[in-house]
Amino acid sequence: MPSLFSKRLAAVGAAAAWLACKGDPQPGPVTPPTPPPPPPVDSLHVPSPDWRDQILYFVMTDRFANGDPGNDDQGAGEYDPADGAKYSGGDLKGLRERLDYIQGLGATAVWLTPPVANQWWDPLVNYGGYHGYWARDFKQVDPHLGTLEDYRSLSRELHSRGMYLVQDIVLNHMANCFRYTRYDPADVSAHVELNTGARPSCGPTQAPFDQWDPTRPAHRDAHVFHWTPTIQDYGVRDQELNWQLSDLDDLDTENPAVRAALRDSYDFWIREVGVDGFRMDTVFYVPQDSIKDFLYSTDAAHPGVVPFARSLGKEGFLAFGEGYATDLPFQDTATRKIASYLTEEATGDALLPGMLDFPLYRTTGDVFARGAPTSQLGYRMTRSGTAFPRPHLMPTFLDNHDVDRFLKGGSEAALRQGLLFMMTVPGIPVLYYGTEQGFTEQRGAMFQKGFGAGGKDRFDTTAPLYALVRELTALRKTHAVFRHGTPTVLRQNEARAGVFAYKMEDAGQVAFVVFNTSDEEALLDNLPTGLAAGSGLKVLASLDPEAREVRTGTDGRLSLKLPARAARVYMPSGDVVPPPAQSARVTLSNASGGTVPGDFELSGTATGVSSFRLVVDGVLGSAPLVTVKADGTWSTLVGTQGMTDSTLQHSLVAWAGEDQVLSDTWTFRVERVFTALLTHDDPEGDDVGPTGSYHYPTDETWGVNHQGDLRRVTLLGSGNTLKLALQTKTVTTIWNPQNGFDHVAFTVYIDVPGRSGLTVMPQQNASLPSGMAWDYRVRVHGWSNALFAPQGASATEEGTPVSPTAAIEVDKNTRTVFLTLSGELFGGLSTLQGVKVYVTTWDYDNGYRPLVPASEQWKFWGADGATSPLVLDDTPVLTVP
């Protein structure tokens, strides 16, 4: 999640999807999708596809490809490819010229950011509208992007290839033309600041949206806009619906004239360009009834987009909505809110047939990139299938233009797993441009002269990730079970990263998908497949070279040793070879499912084997070797270091190598407590940087809160698990952060005894205090959570992403953010004695928030951020005694 500033700049984005008029999709054939019919002579308008079979490629048009340099600079000071806040030069012609690249990747449709005439520059926030979400005219193509004919040419070219066009649209707001310096609901004409310096002009030009000025009585009386201030509390529904999102002028979508104008504006693009679907921005800020009117209105003069598209032969016009809301593990508050935009509560009628699956997005990142227990993904995947009436029409994604790139804090191995997951589960996969080229810059350009491109074009069809995506899209297209099937979770790890397995079933076809999300070998044991004993399973796809055809064992169970970060897709081959009778067996005397206070003794009997490995939570690398006594009995001490959450269920199993599992799976829980190891009380008011001259951004959300002022830091431990309690002056949630706090980023450096680390503090213009070198670096803020090892780190590079990342808890009452670091990170240590910790505060928004000499609304100020340390407050080096 971006900061409110980023949301202000992009006007919030994301979406959902829908097969409009055909009702719930029925199971399809177990074959590739039917090729589209030959296009008509004029391919501007083509019938709708089955959207379950589509793969979307999402582009920010200004940053994708520049086909016409002549339209780059409109002479308003808005164009500068060296500045990420300004236009870079990408356009519709460039996008059309790169369709071979997109189609070669396996995408079947292009989703592009709003192409409408936009506010080019907003001097109140020093940012430009290159992204398209600050409209001045909903029925004009922005001249930076080309002409209406350029847009038609793109549509025709897509359709001639059997591809489709999805346009991003906004119903909630337009550009920032006014704001309140102080709000008086009794006099909405007072305390108004008009954005007179906006370029190319101040205010929309399209009627009736040109009635935007609250200082004019006629405009106020028209009620085209809400005369309200910016949202202060996202938990208040009235503010969410009727106040301004980050000062963007909020449309009164309950006004019949506004509704008619919006329908007319977007019917225009269906008629004139042949658009096949809409991505509907910020739908949480629009009443459900307004969404219903926009989609379904029967007004003959200005019909809803669904009946209007139907009149042009598009029976299944796609319309997917964005609602940025994510859930904590095993919770579904956001899921229920998203579901409320799929079905009208009062009538039970369908609203949007799909929404971007933001809860699944977050959990996918938590599990694959951040090393969370795979049971979290099992819950989320199952919940998506039950909470959403049309799960196959919920677009799925790994990142987008409003959040950090996956590779900003996740490894490439994790990204590869995330891509395979997205291509083998229900939903419409969305690929964000540049993912296939390994982008870490959120809105970097693909073309040589664009922002963040590094001086070269990025359309490399030989890139490893491009090749992987091409293989995975082919897998999805070839096997209908991944497009139309229903998933069942077969195995998950409640305690840590590791095994995750599910099967997909559709029309008699079945496939099995197996992951090891851990960075070490894992054991998949006793997986019930439902197949006959000895059934062969062929490999359809794999991310590891050790994958081979396998067979089920006794009772149709499957057991496998999985390399680190393995991912495999299996399908029954149809042949069955009965397995030999099992001659060896291990039994456990202890009762399964109990709770233990710490390390404990485990015993049992064994036949047909002299020794075995006792595998705990699927971890093979550290599994102890247990020797069987002459009388057939055995006993061993099971270590529980790092097992600190009493709610988590752990597992263990006896394993004798290869695929031979010798026991049933045994489960237990551990009851532990954390004890305080060290407390540092930090002075109040020292959040002024190392020179004492730093200031917070001038926006009022910082000024009185001082979220970066550390007050107390406590280190707690349980075995070799470390918990940090970071108390600040204030914990705020002004911007609705998914991690439970905002306006501050904590960067924590960890020095592990006996290891060699680095002293440089990446991207902070600083080095660690004397006597410390970091082996782990934690960077967390309201919307990201990343952990790095020092390999590859420098003054500009963050290092190598590793997992598991810190578990985050927030207690607003005590103004404390808790970060728990798994004992897995401190392997070889029985205690935390000698571990060193150094904590800093700043803020983060796709990079550390800038520091500039003079005051600004959204930047820290008081020094030169090119050389001065980006440290607001810090602790001394804290050493665990």
Side-chain angles (χ1 to χ4, degrees), residues 148-493:
L148 181 61
E149 193 52 46
D150 289 331
Y151 200 14
R152 288 181 178 131
S153 296
L154 171 64
S155 177
R156 287 188 172 101
E157 179 63 23
L158 283 165
H159 292 157
S160 70
R161 295 166 175 258
M163 299 175 72
Y164 301 93
L165 174 62
V166 176
Q167 177 178 318
D168 217 324
I169 69 171
V170 184
L171 303 183
N172 176 67
H173 59 262
M174 297 188 76
N176 174 26
C177 300
F178 74 92
R179 67 181 180 183
Y180 288 100
T181 57
R182 183 164 61 86
Y183 184 60
D184 180 1
D187 183 4
V188 296
S189 66
H191 315 297
V192 173
E193 180 179 12
L194 300 180
N195 198 358
T196 55
R199 297 290 180 268
S201 63
C202 182
T205 55
Q206 176 192 2
F209 310 115
D210 53 357
Q211 300 178 84
W212 57 267
D213 185 349
T215 67
R216 302 184 190 182
H219 287 200
R220 290 198 305 273
D221 293 344
H223 294 293
V224 172
F225 293 89
H226 288 125
W227 313 118
T228 49
T230 193
I231 297 170
Q232 298 297 313
D233 187 342
Y234 285 82
V236 177
R237 184 60 171 160
D238 176 65
Q239 292 189 28
E240 189 175 46
L241 289 176
N242 301 316
W243 289 24
Q244 296 190 33
L245 174 66
S246 308
D247 284 331
L248 294 166
D249 299 354
D250 195 73
L251 288 166
D252 184 352
T253 58
E254 295 177 276
N255 181 334
V258 172
R259 288 183 171 186
L262 288 171
R263 295 194 303 270
D264 175 70
S265 295
Y266 291 119
D267 286 346
F268 172 87
W269 299 108
I270 301 173
R271 179 181 65 250
E272 297 298 326
V273 179
V275 170
D276 301 294
F278 288 145
R279 177 269 197 184
M280 296 171 59
D281 182 72
T282 52
V283 296
F284 283 168
Y285 305 87
V286 180
Q288 283 97 329
D289 188 62
S290 297
I291 299 290
K292 182 179 181 180
D293 174 85
F294 177 76
L295 294 173
Y296 302 114
S297 173
T298 57
D299 181 348
H302 308 291
V305 296
V306 169
F308 184 75
R310 188 186 302 125
S311 73
L312 295 174
K314 299 177 185 293
E315 290 289 333
F317 186 80
L318 175 68
F320 62 91
E322 176 258 345
Y324 195 122
T326 65
D327 282 308
L328 295 172
F330 309 108
Q331 297 183 13
D332 61 1
T333 301
T335 295
R336 292 194 302 272
K337 185 172 184 178
I338 289 171
S340 74
Y341 275 80
L342 301 172
T343 305
E344 189 177 25
E345 184 176 356
T347 65
D349 294 340
L351 284 176
L352 286 161
M355 292 271 288
L356 275 178
D357 197 340
F358 266 93
L360 185 63
Y361 145 76
R362 174 180 179 170
T363 307
T364 300
D366 284 346
V367 168
F368 291 119
R370 294 180 279 278
T374 63
S375 58
Q376 295 182 16
L377 188 56
Y379 174 87
R380 188 65 56 214
M381 190 165 133
T382 301
R383 188 73 181 104
S384 291
T386 58
F388 306 136
R390 292 163 293 275
H392 293 82
L393 299 178
M394 298 287 289
T396 55
F397 62 102
L398 300 180
D399 52 18
N400 64 29
H401 58 325
D402 281 332
V403 299
D404 279 350
R405 290 274 187 177
F406 190 98
L407 290 177
K408 192 75 171 181
S411 67
E412 183 175 319
L415 174 61
R416 288 171 171 266
Q417 289 191 317
L419 288 165
L420 189 149
F421 173 77
M422 184 171 65
M423 292 296 174
T424 56
V425 296
I428 304 174
V430 178
L431 297 163
Y432 184 42
Y433 84 95
T435 293
E436 73 282 358
Q437 299 297 334
F439 273 27
T440 58
E441 178 64 47
Q442 186 187 64
R443 300 179 183 180
M446 293 279 283
F447 57 97
Q448 180 182 8
K449 294 183 179 180
F451 172 72
K456 62 180 180 180
D457 283 340
R458 300 302 185 98
F459 302 96
D460 182 3
T461 58
T462 67
L465 284 171
Y466 185 98
L468 173 68
V469 172
R470 183 170 52 204
E471 293 174 7
L472 295 178
T473 55
L475 172 73
R476 186 174 181 88
K477 293 177 180 179
T478 303
H479 299 281
V481 68
F482 301 121
R483 307 189 309 272
H484 302 171
T486 301
T488 302
V489 176
L490 300 178
R491 180 60 52 81
Q492 55 194 357
N493 193 320

Side-chain angles (χ1 to χ4, degrees), residues 523-538:
L523 177 66
L524 168 65
D525 62 278
N526 298 318
L527 184 76
T529 65
L531 303 175
S535 295
L537 292 169
K538 60 184 178 182

Side-chain angles (χ1 to χ4, degrees), residues 548-595:
R548 55 182 173 80
E549 182 172 328
V550 295
R551 292 191 180 277
T552 60
T554 304
D555 299 327
R557 296 182 178 186
L558 180 65
S559 296
L560 296 170
K561 182 178 71 172
L562 296 171
R565 290 292 179 177
R568 301 171 183 176
V569 182
Y570 294 104
M571 184 171 282
S573 60
D575 64 313
V576 178
V577 178
Q582 187 173 6
S583 59
R585 189 69 182 166
V586 175
T587 62
L588 287 72
S589 301
N590 305 50
S592 183
T595 299

Side-chain angles (χ1 to χ4, degrees), residues 32-90:
T34 303
V41 176
D42 184 353
S43 57
L44 193 66
H45 294 287
V46 298
S48 300
D50 184 338
W51 288 101
R52 296 174 300 168
D53 295 333
Q54 307 313 306
I55 298 168
L56 302 183
Y57 188 80
F58 174 34
V59 301
M60 178 163 279
T61 310
D62 176 69
R63 300 295 163 87
F64 187 67
N66 190 351
D68 181 8
N71 62 27
D72 294 353
D73 191 347
Q74 299 294 322
E78 83 294 351
Y79 168 73
D80 182 359
D83 186 345
K86 295 188 175 184
Y87 283 84
S88 269

Side-chain angles (χ1 to χ4, degrees), residues 813-831:
N813 292 330
T814 63
R815 314 182 312 282
T816 305
V817 176
F818 296 93
L819 306 178
T820 302
L821 295 169
S822 169
E824 297 172 45
L825 304 174
F826 303 98
L829 297 183
S830 58
T831 72

